[in-house]
Amino acid sequence: MQELKSISTYTDYKNALKKELTSAAVSFVRIGYLLKQARDTDILKDSEYSNMEEFAKTEFQLDKSQVSRFININDRFSVGGNSEILEEKYQDYGVAKLGIMLTLSDEVVDNLSPKLSKQQIGQIQKDIKAEQEIGGTELILEGTDPEQDKYKEIIGKCIFEYYHTHPHEYVKICNIEEWNKEDVMQIFCPMGVMAETVRLQGIGRYMISVKDFEHNVTFTNVRENTTEECSWEYLIDTIFNVCMCHECVVGHNWEAEEAWEIIYNEEFPKLPKPEQKPEPKKEVSKPVKKDKPREKAKKSETKPEEKPVAPVQPKTVPAQAPVSAEIVKTEEKEKQDVEVPQSGQTIEETPREISLESANMLEQKKRITGLLDKTRTEMENSYFEIALEVAKETVFQIEQLIKLKQMEDED
């Protein structure tokens, strides 16, 4: 814990978290191995438990689904499928990604990169699940797309459909000033890793994968679990043929958006306007209303309007703390808005705690409270590895809050 407290830069923080997540993945494999020992051997013979499930539930509050997850991770990702050692090619994934990858085929997993985010791998999982829900007969009845059929090879069909679903990427490619390998590679895969799916009508869904610029690009049929690959040179030629040499645009000086509309016979989609997030409300004291109306109100209570009637004695008003003069003096001196104390309330009792805390500290407290709620939710759902990640982020944010407090105390 002392080592984590010494972290002061983003790079050190990210590396430390990555180390812990990798360690968590190793722990999951080892836990799965130990549970399998309880299941497959007589290690529990001297205990009061008749089986592994009963032991795990009573001693560690692990239900059947959690036990199954530990064992499945060990079966899938340990060396030989039954050891305490995490296979080397999975050591950079982290336990959250491994949990998603449990549902993916070996063919798909082998074409993923550990540099992909959990969200990216999760999207691949959703796309494959949607494809699996389409039956073989339904697929045949779809028929093929005549435009896709113009390309004989699967790679050409996939690239054609990729730019159909990524129109703004099509514009970037078409607007390259000087066509060269490096520029095309950077535009096609700016992060250096990639995993995107495209759906070919009447054929099924393919996953386009890039592990890095040193390896070939792969195209995996997620229905049949087969993979084709091509060199970057071949891919770039294919991209050029799809984007620059389509029969509808050759010989014309179309703008890229117009060319896309002609090729795909659709209106070019506009980029959604970025959402303007409302500025966080600053917790400040409410402005003080002028005292004159209150004074008038008092006069109306104590001195009724003059009328040609017998004089009336003024009503007795209960004693109250001085308000107007002292508050106004405070405002002029500190130039701060404070609420006027109510009857019977002294100036010292006026709520001013909000003004003592900066908006930054209040925002930080809200962030920490949200992280604590997130940690509790993940624990209740038995997603312990995710809860661990959130908890570490919570500790980091609390440390930042302490620093903010110290800075304000110094001021």
Side-chain angles (χ1 to χ4, degrees):
M1 196 64 177
Q2 187 65 32
E3 181 182 351
L4 295 180
K5 286 185 177 180
S6 66
I7 294 173
S8 59
T9 68
Y10 169 73
T11 301
D12 291 342
Y13 163 73
K14 183 178 178 181
N15 291 336
L17 183 56
K18 180 179 179 181
K19 180 180 177 181
E20 294 301 324
L21 292 176
T22 302
S23 175
V26 173
S27 297
F28 262 61
V29 168
R30 293 171 66 87
I31 292 170
Y33 178 77
L34 290 171
L35 290 172
K36 287 163 73 174
Q37 293 298 302
R39 181 193 66 186
D40 301 335
T41 70
D42 61 353
I43 195 71
L44 298 177
K45 66 180 180 180
D46 296 327
S47 73
E48 57 190 282
Y49 305 108
S50 58
N51 56 62
M52 178 267 292
E53 288 82 4
E54 181 185 353
F55 162 75
K57 180 65 175 178
T58 305
E59 294 290 340
F60 303 102
Q61 293 74 51
L62 297 175
D63 59 31
K64 288 184 178 181
S65 63
Q66 293 170 308
V67 168
S68 176
R69 191 161 183 248
F70 283 121
I71 290 177
N72 287 339
I73 286 180
N74 182 274
D75 288 341
R76 183 75 180 276
F77 303 117
S78 69
V79 174
N82 188 26
S83 73
E84 60 185 274
I85 302 172
L86 179 64
E87 219 175 311
E88 184 176 358
K89 64 180 179 179
Y90 301 123
Q91 288 182 1
D92 291 330
Y93 276 97
V95 68
K97 296 178 186 177
L98 293 180
I100 298 172
M101 289 158 56
L102 277 175
T103 63
L104 304 178
S105 68
D106 290 339
E107 193 71 26
V108 170
V109 168
D110 288 344
N111 287 292
L112 296 177
S113 166
K115 294 180 181 179
L116 293 169
S117 68
K118 184 182 75 171
Q119 289 74 19
Q120 288 174 304
I121 298 176
Q123 186 59 52
I124 295 294
Q125 180 194 45
K126 292 178 182 178
D127 292 346
I128 292 176
K129 183 179 179 181
E131 184 64 31
Q132 290 172 341
E133 293 175 354
I134 301 174
T137 303
E138 187 177 353
L139 183 69
I140 295 172
L141 292 175
E142 287 179 357
T144 56
D145 183 349
E147 288 297 321
Q148 292 176 4
D149 289 342
K150 293 178 181 178
Y151 303 93
K152 294 181 180 180
E153 297 184 356
I154 285 295
I155 295 172
K157 296 177 188 292
C158 287
I159 294 301
F160 177 83
E161 186 57 28
Y162 174 78
Y163 285 113
H164 182 197
T165 55
H166 295 74
H168 296 281
E169 295 301 316
Y170 175 90
V171 172
K172 292 179 184 178
I173 285 289
C174 291
N175 288 337
I176 293 180
E177 294 184 3
E178 185 176 345
W179 192 270
N180 60 76
K181 178 180 178 180
E182 288 72 22
D183 286 349
V184 175
M185 290 169 69
Q186 287 295 333
I187 291 176
F188 183 75
C189 185
M191 302 301 295
V193 293
M194 174 181 177
E196 295 267 358
T197 69
V198 294
R199 190 168 193 284
L200 306 183
Q201 183 176 314
I203 298 175
R205 190 171 291 275
Y206 274 77
M207 180 179 73
I208 307 173
S209 306
V210 175
K211 287 189 174 182
D212 53 51
F213 292 143
E214 302 300 323
H215 289 79
N216 287 341
V217 183
T218 58
F219 297 78
T220 303
N221 185 328
V222 301
R223 294 181 71 91
E224 300 177 359
N225 287 315
T226 57
T227 299
E228 297 182 30
E229 62 179 65
C230 71
S231 66
W232 277 100
E233 289 76 13
Y234 187 88
L235 177 69
I236 291 170
D237 287 342
T238 303
I239 293 174
F240 186 85
N241 290 332
V242 169
C243 297
M244 305 295 197
C245 299
H246 193 278
E247 59 185 14
C248 295
V249 298
V250 172
H252 298 278
N253 191 24
W254 305 112
E255 292 293 333
E257 292 84 352
E258 294 177 304
W260 187 92
E261 291 180 337
I262 292 169
I263 291 173
Y264 295 105
N265 195 28
E266 295 178 14
E267 182 179 356
F268 190 86
K270 296 181 180 179
L271 283 172
K273 294 182 179 179
E275 294 183 4
Q276 295 183 350
K277 295 183 179 180
E279 294 183 2
K281 294 182 179 179
K282 294 183 179 181
E283 299 289 341
V284 295
S285 55
K286 297 180 180 179
V288 176
K289 296 181 179 179
K290 294 182 179 179
D291 292 329
K292 289 183 179 180
R294 295 196 175 200
E295 290 175 358
K296 289 182 180 180
K298 291 178 184 178
K299 290 178 181 178
S300 66
E301 291 177 3
T302 57
K303 294 182 180 181
E305 296 181 1
E306 295 182 2
K307 295 181 180 179
V309 294
V312 180
Q313 295 296 327
K315 295 181 180 179
T316 302
V317 180
Q320 49 184 328
V323 176
S324 302
E326 196 161 346
I327 290 296
V328 170
K329 287 179 182 179
T330 303
E331 288 177 339
E332 293 175 350
K333 184 178 180 180
E334 300 182 2
K335 295 184 179 180
Q336 292 182 346
D337 295 330
V338 296
E339 293 182 356
V340 177
Q342 302 298 319
S343 176
Q345 183 183 21
T346 64
I347 293 177
E348 289 74 18
E349 292 172 340
T350 304
R352 298 180 57 185
E353 289 78 11
I354 292 178
S355 63
L356 297 178
E357 290 186 326
S358 69
N360 288 337
M361 284 191 65
L362 291 168
E363 189 66 26
Q364 189 73 355
K365 284 183 178 181
K366 290 180 182 178
R367 185 181 295 112
I368 292 170
T369 301
L371 288 170
L372 290 171
D373 291 340
K374 174 72 172 173
T375 303
R376 187 182 300 107
T377 300
E378 300 299 345
M379 288 292 294
E380 291 174 353
N381 293 330
S382 300
Y383 294 134
F384 302 121
E385 68 281 3
I386 300 177
L388 176 63
E389 296 178 32
V390 180
K392 289 175 181 176
E393 175 66 13
T394 306
V395 172
F396 176 75
Q397 295 297 340
I398 292 174
E399 291 173 348
Q400 298 305 307
L401 179 63
I402 293 172
K403 291 180 182 178
L404 280 174
K405 184 67 167 63
Q406 291 172 345
M407 291 172 62
E408 293 196 356
D409 290 344
E410 291 175 359
D411 293 339

